[in-house]
Amino acid sequence: MRCVSIGPDRGTRTEGVARVGVRGHCNPAVVCRGVEGEGVAVTITLMASNSENLCGTEDLARNKTLGRCLQVLQDAKNDSEQFAALLLVTKVVKAGEIDAAARRRIFDAIGFSFPNRLLVTKESPHGCPSQIFRALGMTLLACFSTNPDLVIHPQILNKISIFNEIICSEVDAGTDIATFTSMIDDSFQCLQAISAHPQGQRHLVAEGTVSALCQVYLNQSHGHVQALCLLIGLLNTMENKCWKSCKPDLLKVLNKLSEQFATEEDHQKFELCSVLQHFLPAVPILTEDPSLIECLKNLHTGLFSILRSKLNSSQRDPALKLAGLLLTVYGSDWILAENSEANRKFLALMVNLACVEVRICLEDPNLNAPHFKPDVITACYSIIEFGMMVCVLGEKVCLTETESSQLVQIMVEAFGAVIGYFKQVTEEQLWDPFLYASVRILGAWMAEETYALRQEICDVLPFLICYAQKMFECPRKSDDLNNQVKGLSLADSPEVTMWPKDALRFLLPGFCHLSAEDAPRRILISDGFHVLLLRYFTQQWEVFSSSKNASVLPDDAEMSLRTACGIFLNLVITEPALIRQEECFSSLLSLLMESLQSLLCNQLHLILAANFTTLGLMMSRILADTPVLQGTTVSKGFFRGAIHFLSKAHTTQLNRIDDRTQIVVTERYQEGWDQISELWFLGMQAFGSCVPLLPWLPQSVIESEWLRDIFNLLNKSSPVTVEFDLIAAFQSVLAELAKNSKPCKDIMLSIGEEKANLYGMAALEQCLSQN
């Protein structure tokens, strides 16, 4: 027969017979007949014979043989000679492992041109598998892909679509199974090598490899295990892009995995626990489509089956990690048992197991478990945190009072173990990422539970303050910890997991509660927490100021600023002497005064503006003698802003039911009024207290026409509809203005003297009646 030329013609076609093989399924000897090929035939046959005799010899002999084969390859004058020599190379390559240098020698001798032509050649010699040329080309590319310098070469990356096609291909009638599976294995080797590089990962996602891998796994085709491993790797590094480009295919895989998870009852069930963690999207996609609810039900069924069984730690740990991840992403939405009793049992079971695991790991000094499986304990922390939310807020799983009390007691014991762990931490362990996770969960507990473990928490307050300060003062070390903390995260993707790099953000809510109580407040003050808090407040304001036009609000910086204001406000109310003595509070007041106006311009920041206004007014009462409050431009600007905030909170509205006009909260303030109202009332009281201390303040009130605004509200409304607290707030300001400013008193006498009597404002009425 004729020996077929490969790809584009490279010269004179030669007649001959070829009996070739890949992976040893055909005789590698090649005999070429014809004028041009005859001289080569002897050499090739000899080389093949020698290579067959080398089986089991040392690497040195194999490398020597490889060198001779490569020389023949380089001397080849046409396709038949090059192909024949190439078969000998592939036999040497497959005869055993070769080092990187030898693989590079093969590439230098062959290059990309010939393998490229092999991949597109559809004919094959008589008596050989139909895809022998393509299989040979894939073998060469798989060899090249093991070289880090070649794997991201454009000539490899532009073959990704071919690799995808091969792994998804089906066996045709008459196809040689060995050749077919060899091509798929080589394709997977190339894809695996490409996926080891960030640039390669981007090309794989862009070229549709994720969909191809999903198809292989869904069909359970040859290589489906490798396909699943590759999918896990790509989801770990490029989760968002994978889900964005291949959401339907990934959901099919997730559904298949969840079905297996719900029905399997052998060791595979535990393996699926680990696999499923990687396939759960970091956003709640599964609750967006009702058809996907079945997937969550399967996850619930499989987990409940595992957790209620007697297990060893290797079986229990993956289940706890999966449960923690589901709670982190979906809250209680995935707990979809048919009745509430089953919901409660499942929740109680998870929280109990998580608390027990935490105690086992943290109470046994010999086990030293945090260093062996911190990822499991972190998952337990997420489960416990969810249990806290259920007990405090009810969530969607309604517990009885008895069940809630039992869960709280179990969690108290777990947090006792966490506190005990803190007492054993050394200076060298301060940068352990597991410590950060433990501080975070205790911060969540302190924010919700204000009585249990109070003394124990007071005992570790100095440690918590020290830890928070270290984290705040050493941002470089914090950056070094970033990847380590990501490793502890329940969401594996670095695209999703962002470490805030400060512990104060999680501790502030609990510290806010503690600052209202005498004993813990004394500890906070004695350890200089107020100084650290001001530094943190200043930094967060800078962060917030640089990004306050962001679309997603409020952000972490704004929430931290709000909570810090709450702590400062507690200190201002309970420790006025401290405010006078510590220079840092004068700096804080200056920052508040300089910043308020910018907040009032944006409706989205009204709650933060309320915090700044009230805190600034409360501090001004105590620091009235400081230079910044002596009628400076900054102080006058702040009080104009304060008047604006206080004066724009109310308006009048006709109640159509009883046909009476009443004073109501303005539309601008309604959305956040539950968080603003107390600050507004306290701010009114503080503003009134500032009037006698700041002689220039009444003139600012007059210029703002606030007096007229207040009396307009009173004139338009019906006295019986106005709440007493609101009248008292108005009176606290009006009485001080009437008492300390004749111009203000004259205005009130001219526009509404009778309103004081009509609304029962006795103190104001008395001030207005005095000469």
Side-chain angles (χ1 to χ4, degrees):
M1 65 160 287
R2 286 186 174 274
C3 190
V4 181
S5 177
I6 302 166
D9 188 23
R10 291 192 61 217
T12 306
R13 296 168 61 90
T14 59
E15 294 185 357
V17 176
R19 297 190 306 277
V20 300
V22 176
R23 298 192 183 273
H25 290 282
C26 293
N27 188 340
V30 179
V31 179
C32 294
R33 295 175 181 169
V35 178
E36 294 183 13
E38 188 172 355
V40 179
V42 177
T43 305
I44 297 298
T45 305
L46 177 62
M47 293 299 303
S49 176
N50 287 342
S51 65
E52 287 174 349
N53 293 331
L54 286 172
C55 183
T57 61
E58 297 295 328
D59 289 344
L60 182 61
R62 183 184 299 116
N63 285 335
K64 184 177 179 181
T65 302
L66 175 62
R68 295 166 66 190
C69 293
L70 292 176
Q71 186 60 51
V72 172
L73 179 63
Q74 290 174 327
D75 294 340
K77 298 181 178 61
N78 53 49
D79 284 341
S80 293
E81 293 180 12
Q82 191 169 21
F83 181 57
L86 195 55
L87 290 175
L88 299 181
V89 172
T90 60
K91 181 168 182 61
V92 174
V93 170
K94 294 174 185 291
E97 293 186 2
I98 58 174
D99 58 24
R103 288 192 293 269
R104 183 70 198 201
R105 288 172 62 198
I106 295 174
F107 170 75
D108 291 338
I110 299 173
F112 280 116
S113 177
F114 194 60
N116 289 347
R117 294 165 60 211
L118 287 170
L119 288 177
V120 298
T121 301
K122 296 181 179 180
E123 300 179 64
S124 62
H126 178 70
C128 295
S130 60
Q131 298 195 50
I132 185 63
F133 290 134
R134 203 176 200 194
L136 181 57
M138 281 305 311
T139 298
L140 292 170
L141 290 179
C143 176
F144 298 163
S145 72
T146 60
N147 187 310
D149 296 329
L150 296 178
V151 70
I152 55 174
H153 190 283
Q155 288 288 347
I156 294 285
L157 295 179
N158 66 17
K159 306 295 188 303
I160 290 177
S161 59
I162 296 177
F163 304 152
N164 295 343
E165 174 200 339
I166 291 174
I167 64 174
C168 292
S169 58
E170 299 180 359
V171 181
D172 296 327
T175 298
D176 181 77
I177 299 300
T179 303
F180 178 76
T181 56
S182 168
M183 289 173 57
I184 292 177
D185 291 339
D186 287 335
S187 296
F188 272 115
Q189 181 175 328
C190 292
L191 292 173
Q192 185 67 52
I194 293 171
S195 71
H197 296 261
Q199 179 184 346
Q201 294 160 9
R202 291 191 294 271
H203 277 80
L204 291 176
V205 175
E207 294 293 331
T209 300
V210 174
S211 292
L213 294 172
C214 289
Q215 195 63 41
V216 171
Y217 185 77
L218 290 170
N219 294 336
Q220 294 290 284
S221 306
H222 178 76
H224 66 274
V225 175
Q226 296 100 304
L228 190 63
C229 292
L230 271 169
L231 279 173
I232 289 173
L234 290 173
L235 285 169
N236 282 350
T237 55
M238 304 190 71
E239 183 178 41
N240 286 346
K241 288 184 172 63
C242 288
W243 278 101
K244 184 177 180 179
S245 62
C246 304
K247 176 180 172 182
D249 295 316
L250 286 170
L251 286 175
K252 290 177 183 178
V253 174
L254 180 55
N255 267 320
K256 184 178 183 67
L257 291 171
S258 70
E259 289 172 4
Q260 294 174 319
F261 184 55
T263 56
E264 294 287 348
E265 294 298 335
D266 56 15
H267 67 90
Q268 188 176 2
K269 195 181 195 76
F270 303 105
E271 295 172 359
L272 285 168
C273 271
S274 299
V275 172
L276 281 164
Q277 295 170 42
H278 304 282
F279 278 87
L280 285 174
V283 291
I285 291 175
L286 299 184
T287 54
E288 296 173 356
D289 185 347
S291 65
L292 299 172
I293 296 299
E294 193 64 33
C295 179
L296 290 175
K297 287 184 178 180
N298 288 330
L299 296 174
H300 174 280
T301 301
L303 267 178
F304 199 11
S305 172
I306 290 177
L307 294 177
R308 66 184 175 184
S309 305
K310 291 184 178 180
L311 307 170
N312 58 42
S313 60
S314 64
Q315 296 169 324
R316 182 174 59 249
D317 291 351
L320 289 172
K321 290 179 67 176
L322 179 59
L325 178 58
L326 283 165
L327 290 172
T328 299
V329 178
Y330 293 99
S332 62
D333 290 341
W334 65 282
I335 304 178
L336 300 169
E338 295 181 359
N339 57 75
S340 59
E341 182 179 356
N343 282 342
R344 297 199 303 269
K345 285 183 178 179
F346 187 40
L347 172 67
L349 176 63
M350 281 195 302
V351 176
N352 267 283
L353 288 174
C355 290
V356 168
E357 192 70 25
V358 169
R359 292 189 63 188
I360 289 175
C361 291
L362 299 184
E363 289 181 351
D364 187 346
N366 298 318
L367 187 59
N368 204 22
H371 300 286
F372 292 123
K373 52 178 184 179
D375 51 342
V376 178
I377 308 303
T378 303
C380 291
Y381 285 165
S382 292
I383 296 171
I384 294 171
E385 187 171 1
F386 177 72
M388 290 162 43
M389 296 301 102
V390 170
C391 293
V392 174
L393 305 176
E395 268 288 321
K396 298 177 183 178
V397 184
C398 298
L399 299 176
T400 66
E401 185 175 346
T402 300
E403 290 169 335
S404 181
S405 298
Q406 290 174 344
L407 278 187
V408 169
Q409 183 54 44
I410 294 168
M411 288 187 285
V412 165
E413 294 171 358
F415 281 108
V418 173
I419 292 172
Y421 164 63
F422 291 155
K423 293 179 179 179
Q424 302 172 23
V425 171
T426 63
E427 181 75 20
E428 293 73 23
Q429 294 175 313
L430 286 178
W431 299 101
D432 186 342
F434 178 75
L435 175 59
Y436 177 85
S438 301
V439 169
R440 181 194 175 281
I441 189 64
L442 183 65
W445 172 262
M446 291 162 55
E448 301 297 341
E449 175 53 55
T450 58
Y451 297 105
L453 297 173
R454 181 49 43 88
Q455 185 55 51
E456 289 83 352
I457 288 174
C458 285
D459 292 342
V460 294
L461 263 183
F463 165 77
L464 294 175
I465 295 170
C466 174
Y467 178 75
Q469 184 167 348
K470 290 281 188 182
M471 298 289 284
F472 177 73
E473 291 178 343
C474 301
R476 184 170 300 176
K477 286 189 176 181
S478 297
D479 287 336
D480 294 339
L481 264 178
N482 197 10
N483 290 330
Q484 298 179 52
V485 174
K486 286 178 182 177
L488 280 182
S489 173
L490 295 175
D492 290 303
S493 171
E495 294 180 338
V496 176
T497 310
M498 295 301 295
W499 186 45
K501 303 179 186 176
D502 72 79
L504 273 174
R505 181 162 74 89
F506 300 118
L507 291 172
L508 287 182
F511 283 1
C512 191
H513 291 313
L514 295 174
S515 65
E517 301 181 21
D518 293 340
R521 185 173 63 250
R522 285 194 293 268
I523 298 174
L524 291 172
I525 293 172
S526 65
D527 282 84
F529 175 69
H530 54 288
V531 179
L532 172 62
L533 185 60
L534 175 60
R535 295 170 59 196
Y536 181 74
F537 187 90
T538 303
Q539 181 215 51
Q540 291 297 296
W541 172 252
E542 292 173 356
V543 172
F544 172 78
S545 299
S546 64
S547 61
K548 63 183 178 183
N549 293 322
S551 58
V552 180
L553 296 166
D555 59 10
D556 292 336
E558 180 170 357
M559 294 305 297
S560 294
L561 289 169
R562 290 187 199 175
T563 311
C565 283
I567 298 174
F568 282 130
L569 198 54
N570 285 339
L571 295 177
V572 169
I573 294 171
T574 58
E575 304 286 343
L578 177 71
I579 308 304
R580 295 188 186 94
Q581 294 167 4
E582 294 283 348
E583 182 64 29
C584 66
F585 289 102
S586 295
S587 301
L588 173 61
L589 180 58
S590 296
L591 190 155
L592 296 172
M593 289 185 167
E594 293 166 0
S595 308
L596 178 60
Q597 292 284 1
S598 65
L599 291 175
L600 292 170
C601 299
N602 193 329
Q603 164 72 23
L604 295 172
H605 307 310
L606 188 59
I607 297 174
L608 185 58
N611 279 275
F612 274 44
T613 299
T614 303
L615 179 57
L617 291 172
M618 292 291 289
M619 294 182 68
S620 296
R621 295 160 55 244
I622 301 172
L623 300 175
D625 294 332
T626 57
V628 72
L629 285 167
Q630 304 311 307
T632 62
T633 301
V634 172
S635 61
K636 288 184 177 181
F638 169 77
F639 275 89
R640 279 196 302 270
I643 291 171
H644 177 86
F645 168 75
L646 296 172
S647 65
K648 302 300 181 182
H650 295 89
T651 187
T652 55
Q653 177 179 291
L654 178 64
N655 187 336
R656 299 188 182 279
I657 297 177
D658 56 13
D659 200 31
R660 289 176 173 173
T661 300
Q662 56 189 16
I663 299 178
V664 297
V665 176
T666 60
E667 183 177 352
R668 183 170 186 261
Y669 284 63
Q670 281 178 359
E671 183 178 352
W673 189 244
D674 58 334
Q675 299 181 68
I676 291 174
S677 58
E678 288 188 16
L679 293 168
W680 186 87
F681 282 104
L682 187 58
M684 290 289 286
Q685 180 184 342
F687 190 97
S689 300
C690 289
V691 171
L693 302 173
L694 304 173
W696 51 268
L697 185 54
Q699 182 59 35
S700 295
V701 175
I702 294 173
E703 292 172 359
S704 71
E705 297 192 347
W706 187 18
L707 290 176
R708 295 185 183 277
D709 292 340
I710 293 176
F711 279 99
N712 282 338
L713 291 174
L714 298 176
N715 286 332
K716 293 178 181 179
S717 62
S718 173
V720 297
T721 66
V722 183
E723 296 180 357
F724 173 79
D725 289 346
L726 185 58
I727 295 298
F730 286 149
Q731 180 175 230
S732 65
V733 173
L734 296 174
E736 289 296 337
L737 287 169
K739 187 188 304 182
N740 293 279
S741 171
K742 187 176 184 305
C744 288
K745 180 179 179 180
D746 291 341
I747 293 174
M748 283 184 263
L749 287 171
S750 66
I751 63 175
E753 180 180 2
E754 73 284 357
K755 295 302 178 184
N757 178 268
L758 185 61
Y759 281 89
M761 293 186 282
L764 176 60
E765 188 175 13
Q766 182 180 358
C767 291
L768 293 177
S769 63
Q770 293 175 351
N771 294 325

